[in-house]
Amino acid sequence: MSFVYLIFIPMLAALVIPFLYKKVPGIHTGWFVLAVPAILFGLYTTFLSKVKNGESFTSTFDWIPSLNISVTSYIDGLSLLFSLLITGIGTLVVLYSIFYLDKTREQLHNFYVYLLLFMTAMLGVVQSDHLISLYFFWELTSISSFLLIGYWYKRDRSRFGALKSMMITVFGGLMMLGGFVLLSIMGDTYSIRELIASAPELANHEWFVWSLILVLLGAFTKSAQFPFYIWLPDAMEAPTPVSAYLHSATMVKAGLYLVARFTPIYASSEWWIWLVTGIGLLTLLWGSFFALKQTDLKGILAFSTVSQLGLIMSLLGAGAISLHTGIEDDNSIFKYAAFAAIFHLVNHATFKGSLFMIAGIVDHETGTRDIRKLGGLMSLMPISFTIALIGSFSMAGLPPFNGFLSKEMFLSGMLSIPEFDFFAFDTWGMLFPIIAWIASVFTFVYSFYFVFRTFTGKHKPDLLPKQAHEAPIGMLISPAILGSLVVAIFFIPNLIGDVLVKPAVVAIQPFLYSVPEDVDIHIAAWHGPNAELWMTIGIVALGYLLYATLSKWQPLYNKFPQGFTLNRLYDFMMFLSEVGTNRLSRIYMTGFIRSYLVYMFTGIVLLTIGTVFIKDAFEVSFATVAPIHFYELVIVLVLIAGTLTILFAKSRLTSIIALGAVGYSVALFFVIFNAPDLALTQLVIETVSVALFLLAFYHLPKLNRHENRMKFRLANALVAIGVGVTVTIVALSAHSQKLVSSISSYYEKTVYTEAGGGNIVNVILVDYRGFDTLFEIAVLAIASLGIIAMIRLRLTKKKEVNRIEDQ
Amino acid sequence: MEIIMCFVIGFLFMAAVYLMLSKSLLRIIIGTGLLSHGAHLLILTMGGLGGSAPPVVSPGVTDYADPLPQALILTAIVISFGVTAFFLVLAYRAYQELGTDNMNLMRGTEDHD
């Protein structure tokens, strides 16, 4: 079955949706859209049983065969897991959006076209085996995400958030493309599977670390890692279904997918392990710390997403360590890290999706997302409260919810990092479990902050724009399904583990396992009284204490200096790129023709003299020079005198006459150097030119009649002398190093026999090289027509000119 | 002779560039005139100044001046004349419309400031 075409089904549906929106206005367009992800989800589940046995599938659509570029869909455990997430959560989000977006007030066709486009892009990203098509779909996710964030395009904040996310993710995308290009040159293939197969050879390549860093930049910007997370909180201006879908469950996990997919290639490098684990942990701590500063429900969730993505990222980094320890080493827990990462990725998609939907419901039913205005909604919105409670407790890592299981696995992964005894992990590694523990405490506090500040406490109806009440049942279906999954996964974790997680782990760690059965990991909710349990108890105890005293220390966040935030840095960089480059170009784009001539002449001088100097090309040879005659010297002196007169003349008339003298002495040169035709032409043309100059002189401005000698300017003189010296050097060197003799002997021999003429110059002009003459005639014709047009055509008002002349 | 001509041509170029950097439109055009003189002489010099007879077939002569550079210069003279004539009329019209020949005053519209 060529399942590669399944990727494009949402895109094709996007073509039809606007017609349905216009033709069937009675039915909410979302109902038509709902079928697409639902059917795709059903189709992708058919792969489950085979992938579980370790099989994988490829299907190729040739795109540009001559360049070896194709869209290759490769389905293994990892891509199937992501495909199911995309289509599954996609179905729930579309269902939720049907009740969230109003049929009459919203431009639904835009929304669903962007959403379907995004779905195709995301499926393409996770299934592509081809680097270039992966990049293609990657940018398509950036573009569709840009469109979705800016959905309410009349709001300033939406446009700002959309632009910001676009700038940052596209920056990362382009860096990633650079990494891909390096990879494809290093491995001489575009296929990720073939690159994985040749990973050991790649590791020795000099570009290896460069491509690693570039690919990671792509992953970090997309997955909102430190310091690129700043676009995600601003992306919360998107409609809530978009936030739930893109900015918690799918798109921000594209970076995680990338890291997971490329782990077999890069895991051998300590750069990879340190960067992925370190940045992940830093993001985890930073995000969980600043989540408590937020007062907007979606802002809290955005920072929480950043933090949880950092957690998964650090686990993926720890999982890469297993390449160095090997499967035989039973003490090593690192082989569990990748499992924990994927497991938490699934869990996070479930609880964060439901929490976003609840935040949207609260917004929809009360009119505000400001946590300071909310409170006491528990009795008014009991179902939403229950779902929010489940999601938050899971996020905090409490039993009996799935977050507890992944939290425990995360802690054991981090605890074992200091055991690792190379790449300096045995010294610095102690920091990892400490940071992880502190971040978990903050996670606990903001989870409680999110749910209890919204639903318990005092109800403040006078602050709310709307009368709060429970959401319609349709809006609650999707979060309820996700919430029950959160509970279900806690009780049957090994079903999910066997069917979804283990095949994905095989894809991430092919150096450890060949088939999913090899992954001998059993998740148990009760794992005995070990260090992780005590850490969890500590988290709950300290977290509860911090939450209870929150009102005492939360104002400390406002003391944080605004000038040093990363957003300020981003704004400053945008300012610099826009205003800075504008100012910079105004410095050199002066508008004076003199400046530009100086740039050009200086460029010519430096480039030419530099080349002559570097290539050691200067040479003076007296071998072929003609003898010097007295007349020639006289004319040389006349010519120089004429030129000097032009330079130092006080009146313009003198300089015009001197120019005529120069022209006539050039004509005399032509006479002496045996060029009669040139001399004739030069004399005639010089006469006409001088007449024209005098015409222009006659009409010169009467405004400043008093004529001045040209003012001496040192800079101009230096540039002029530079050009003169350059021309002299080039002329001398070129004359002294003739490589081939002239072809003129042919003309001299054949001018009479072949062309029947005696004047060789004239025969060359009209016979041997008659084409030049034809177009030189054309030049004269154009010039004369142009002159006539300039004089005759007067499209501007004549009054203006008269006014100036009368002054 | 060619060596001397190389220096003369360099001098012509120097003077031409100096004039072109001035702010008077007429001087700029004079500069272009000097520049084309320099270029024409350069072509002639690079072709070699030897040869004892003009390139017109006559019995008994074998040492003609090189005809090809002369043909090239002839073409160049005509073209530079056409351009100079156009340029001069342009300057004349510019003065009629703008009332100045000072290049520093012809800076276009100041719509950026």
Side-chain angles (χ1 to χ4, degrees):
Chain A
M1 189 179 87
S2 42
F3 51 85
V4 60
Y5 297 105
L6 292 184
I7 294 174
F8 295 100
I9 284 182
M11 202 187 244
L12 291 175
L15 292 176
V16 186
I17 291 304
F19 290 105
L20 288 173
Y21 175 73
K22 295 274 181 208
K23 296 291 171 197
V24 196
I27 303 171
H28 195 289
T29 316
W31 291 112
F32 302 112
V33 179
L34 187 62
V36 177
I39 290 172
L40 283 175
F41 183 78
L43 287 171
Y44 283 122
T45 48
T46 57
F47 288 96
L48 270 176
S49 54
K50 284 175 186 157
V51 168
K52 186 168 172 274
N53 296 328
E55 290 181 53
S56 61
F57 307 88
T58 53
S59 164
T60 299
F61 156 69
D62 276 334
W63 185 7
I64 313 175
S66 57
L67 295 178
N68 232 342
I69 291 176
S70 60
V71 179
T72 300
S73 169
Y74 174 62
I75 289 195
D76 63 351
L78 189 61
S79 50
L80 184 63
L81 172 99
F82 270 92
S83 302
L84 289 173
L85 270 184
I86 292 158
T87 49
I89 308 257
T91 314
L92 296 176
V93 162
V94 171
L95 183 65
Y96 176 78
S97 71
I98 292 172
F99 297 94
Y100 185 83
L101 293 173
D102 195 285
K103 187 171 68 179
T104 50
R105 278 180 304 183
E106 303 286 356
Q107 309 237 305
L108 291 175
H109 53 317
N110 292 351
F111 180 81
Y112 286 112
V113 165
Y114 302 156
L115 199 73
L116 287 167
L117 204 62
F118 171 79
M119 213 177 280
T120 282
M122 207 54 215
L123 285 173
V125 165
V126 300
Q127 292 183 14
S128 283
D129 182 51
H130 192 284
L131 290 177
I132 301 297
S133 68
L134 171 54
Y135 173 72
F136 169 75
F137 288 116
W138 185 275
E139 292 298 29
L140 200 57
T141 63
S142 295
I143 292 168
S144 48
S145 163
F146 168 78
L147 291 168
L148 283 167
I149 297 170
Y151 175 65
W152 287 309
Y153 54 84
K154 285 179 182 160
R155 300 182 189 171
D156 277 347
R157 295 296 306 170
S158 294
R159 294 200 302 268
F160 176 77
L163 184 65
K164 191 171 182 177
S165 76
M166 184 80 163
M167 297 294 289
I168 294 176
T169 54
V170 166
F171 161 76
L174 285 173
M175 294 298 119
M176 190 187 79
L177 177 64
F180 283 178
V181 169
L182 289 183
L183 257 187
S184 66
I185 297 172
M186 281 155 56
D188 197 26
T189 174
Y190 286 119
S191 163
I192 296 172
R193 278 172 302 150
E194 289 171 25
L195 284 170
I196 290 173
S198 59
E201 293 98 82
L202 295 180
N204 300 321
H205 201 283
E206 53 178 330
W207 294 346
F208 183 69
V209 175
W210 289 111
S211 74
L212 183 159
I213 290 170
L214 289 173
V215 168
L216 273 187
L217 270 177
F220 285 170
T221 49
K222 198 71 148 186
S223 277
Q225 297 296 294
F226 186 89
F228 305 111
Y229 71 87
I230 51 171
W231 65 267
L232 189 61
D234 283 308
M236 291 303 129
E237 295 302 320
T240 302
V242 172
S243 308
Y245 188 37
L246 275 69
H247 306 128
S248 76
T250 55
M251 190 182 83
V252 288
K253 296 203 165 105
L256 299 174
Y257 166 80
L258 199 74
V259 168
R261 183 55 92 194
F262 282 74
T263 294
I265 299 178
Y266 289 122
S268 60
S269 166
E270 61 175 303
W271 283 83
W272 179 265
I273 295 167
W274 265 110
L275 278 174
V276 176
T277 319
I279 298 282
L281 269 182
L282 180 61
T283 313
L284 166 65
L285 185 63
W286 190 280
S288 64
F289 184 68
F290 282 102
L292 278 167
K293 191 187 174 199
Q294 310 301 314
T295 51
D296 175 34
L297 284 185
K298 281 173 85 177
I300 302 171
L301 291 177
F303 273 92
S304 134
T305 302
V306 167
S307 151
Q308 302 279 316
L309 292 170
L311 186 154
I312 301 171
M313 194 65 93
S314 67
L315 278 174
L316 285 172
I321 301 176
S322 58
L323 177 69
H324 302 275
T325 55
I327 193 167
E328 304 305 326
D329 187 357
D330 280 339
N331 296 327
S332 158
I333 202 96
F334 302 119
K335 53 187 178 183
Y336 295 81
F339 187 93
I342 296 299
F343 189 54
H344 191 67
L345 192 145
V346 176
N347 294 343
H348 178 253
T350 54
F351 68 69
K352 193 52 67 64
S354 71
L355 285 178
F356 265 111
M357 291 177 184
I358 295 301
I361 287 172
V362 170
D363 184 18
H364 206 264
E365 305 307 333
T366 65
T368 182
R369 296 196 313 249
D370 193 329
I371 203 158
R372 290 165 300 190
K373 295 182 186 165
L374 295 166
L377 295 175
M378 185 167 64
S379 52
L380 294 167
M381 306 169 77
I383 306 173
S384 306
F385 171 65
T386 313
I387 299 167
L389 200 67
I390 293 171
S392 299
F393 277 22
S394 176
M395 184 157 76
L398 295 176
F401 307 106
N402 57 9
F404 173 73
L405 302 171
S406 36
K407 168 71 67 57
E408 297 300 288
M409 299 177 91
F410 166 65
L411 290 176
S412 33
M414 288 300 132
L415 269 178
S416 51
I417 280 192
E419 296 169 16
F420 187 50
D421 57 357
F422 48 104
F423 296 163
F425 273 106
D426 42 350
T427 49
W428 290 101
M430 221 27 235
L431 281 175
F432 284 44
I434 296 171
I435 293 175
W437 188 78
I438 297 171
S440 301
V441 172
F442 278 105
T443 308
F444 183 91
V445 179
Y446 74 66
S447 303
F448 270 51
Y449 174 62
F450 174 81
V451 66
F452 289 120
R453 283 297 161 95
T454 311
F455 289 99
T456 61
K458 215 171 127 237
H459 185 47
K460 305 160 204 163
D462 43 329
L463 286 177
L464 299 180
K466 281 187 191 173
Q467 182 69 39
H469 56 81
E470 185 59 282
I473 193 75
M475 210 186 252
L476 288 166
I477 295 174
S478 296
I481 292 175
L482 288 171
S484 30
L485 274 175
V486 168
V487 182
I489 291 174
F490 178 81
F491 288 107
I492 46 162
N494 289 307
L495 181 67
I496 299 286
D498 288 345
V499 174
L500 282 175
V501 183
K502 284 183 182 177
V505 169
V506 173
I508 302 175
Q509 297 175 313
F511 40 80
L512 289 185
Y513 314 109
S514 51
V515 285
E517 277 96 47
D518 294 349
V519 188
D520 55 345
I521 298 169
H522 189 80
I523 312 166
W526 174 250
H527 43 66
N530 51 13
E532 293 91 301
L533 186 71
W534 292 111
M535 282 173 89
T536 307
I537 291 171
I539 289 166
V540 175
L542 186 63
Y544 187 77
L545 193 69
L546 281 176
Y547 174 70
T549 57
L550 188 63
S551 52
K552 299 225 171 28
W553 58 276
Q554 203 185 20
L556 286 177
Y557 278 105
N558 298 328
K559 301 266 193 292
F560 192 80
Q562 284 293 311
F564 293 100
T565 56
L566 286 164
N567 283 317
R568 201 48 76 86
L569 183 70
Y570 169 84
D571 292 340
F572 177 69
M573 279 164 66
M574 293 299 281
F575 172 82
L576 206 66
S577 64
E578 218 174 294
V579 181
T581 52
N582 200 356
R583 283 186 188 164
L584 186 71
S585 62
R586 253 193 238 176
I587 290 174
Y588 66 89
M589 302 292 281
T590 57
F592 295 119
I593 191 165
R594 180 184 162 271
S595 316
Y596 307 135
L597 284 174
V598 167
Y599 304 152
M600 282 189 260
F601 285 130
T602 314
I604 290 170
V605 169
L606 292 180
L607 285 177
T608 316
I609 301 247
T611 311
V612 168
F613 181 73
I614 289 167
K615 292 285 175 189
D616 197 19
F618 183 67
E619 190 184 327
V620 182
S621 153
F622 296 90
T624 59
V625 294
I628 304 168
H629 297 108
F630 176 67
Y631 312 117
E632 296 166 359
L633 287 180
V634 171
I635 301 168
V636 164
L637 289 178
V638 171
L639 193 142
I640 289 174
T643 314
L644 287 174
T645 313
I646 297 176
L647 287 179
F648 293 105
K650 194 176 174 196
S651 92
R652 292 184 177 114
L653 192 60
T654 318
S655 35
I656 291 169
I657 301 298
L659 180 66
V662 171
Y664 283 163
S665 47
V666 169
L668 285 179
F669 267 128
F670 290 153
V671 172
I672 291 179
F673 295 132
N674 295 317
D677 301 293
L678 289 186
L680 276 173
T681 319
Q682 179 67 32
L683 281 171
V684 174
I685 280 186
E686 198 57 37
T687 314
V688 179
S689 297
V690 169
L692 272 171
F693 271 106
L694 288 174
L695 171 80
F697 171 79
Y698 178 74
H699 286 282
L700 265 187
K702 297 167 183 111
L703 303 172
N704 45 355
R705 279 307 277 276
H706 56 283
E707 292 178 304
N708 281 322
R709 193 166 281 138
M710 200 160 54
K711 271 194 205 120
F712 179 77
R713 292 185 68 173
L714 185 66
N716 290 3
L718 285 178
V719 172
I721 290 170
V723 172
V725 169
T726 308
V727 170
T728 308
I729 286 176
V730 170
L732 286 173
S733 310
H735 178 259
S736 304
Q737 304 174 61
K738 267 191 187 157
L739 300 177
V740 288
S741 58
S742 171
I743 56 165
S744 295
S745 58
Y746 168 76
Y747 297 131
E748 288 161 13
K749 267 183 239 147
T750 59
V751 65
Y752 189 73
T753 53
E754 301 277 334
N759 187 329
I760 307 176
V761 172
N762 288 0
V763 172
I764 288 176
L765 282 175
V766 298
D767 192 329
Y768 291 114
R769 303 177 57 87
F771 257 121
D772 295 358
T773 312
L774 174 64
F775 291 108
E776 149 196 352
I777 291 167
V779 167
L780 272 191
I782 291 168
S784 46
L785 289 173
I787 287 168
I788 292 172
M790 266 198 298
I791 291 174
R792 285 280 177 84
L793 283 180
R794 297 288 170 90
L795 296 177
T796 49
K797 279 174 267 171
K798 198 147 184 188
K799 277 182 193 165
E800 192 79 7
V801 181
N802 295 336
R803 192 176 58 79
I804 292 167
E805 279 175 345
D806 291 342
Q807 277 173 355
Chain B
M1 191 62 214
E2 281 90 339
I3 308 294
I4 294 177
M5 289 306 288
C6 287
F7 284 99
V8 172
I9 292 159
F11 179 73
L12 278 175
F13 269 82
M14 185 200 77
V17 168
Y18 190 73
L19 286 165
M20 287 164 81
L21 293 177
S22 79
K23 61 185 179 184
S24 149
L25 188 52
L26 196 71
R27 286 207 175 98
I28 292 176
I29 304 176
I30 291 176
T32 58
L34 279 187
L35 196 74
S36 42
H37 287 322
H40 300 156
L41 285 179
L42 184 64
I43 300 176
L44 194 73
T45 309
M46 292 298 104
L49 297 176
S52 58
V56 178
V57 178
S58 50
V61 178
T62 51
D63 187 19
Y64 297 110
D66 197 335
L68 194 56
Q70 297 192 11
L72 297 180
I73 294 168
L74 198 60
T75 310
I77 287 176
V78 175
I79 289 174
S80 71
F81 168 69
V83 174
T84 306
F86 185 85
F87 198 5
L88 272 169
V89 177
L90 190 66
Y92 162 70
R93 288 284 298 123
Y95 164 62
Q96 277 194 325
E97 295 289 334
L98 304 172
T100 180
D101 83 328
N102 187 340
M103 288 310 291
N104 287 359
L105 299 179
M106 299 189 196
R107 273 188 68 193
T109 53
E110 299 274 324
D111 55 351
H112 272 38
D113 295 308

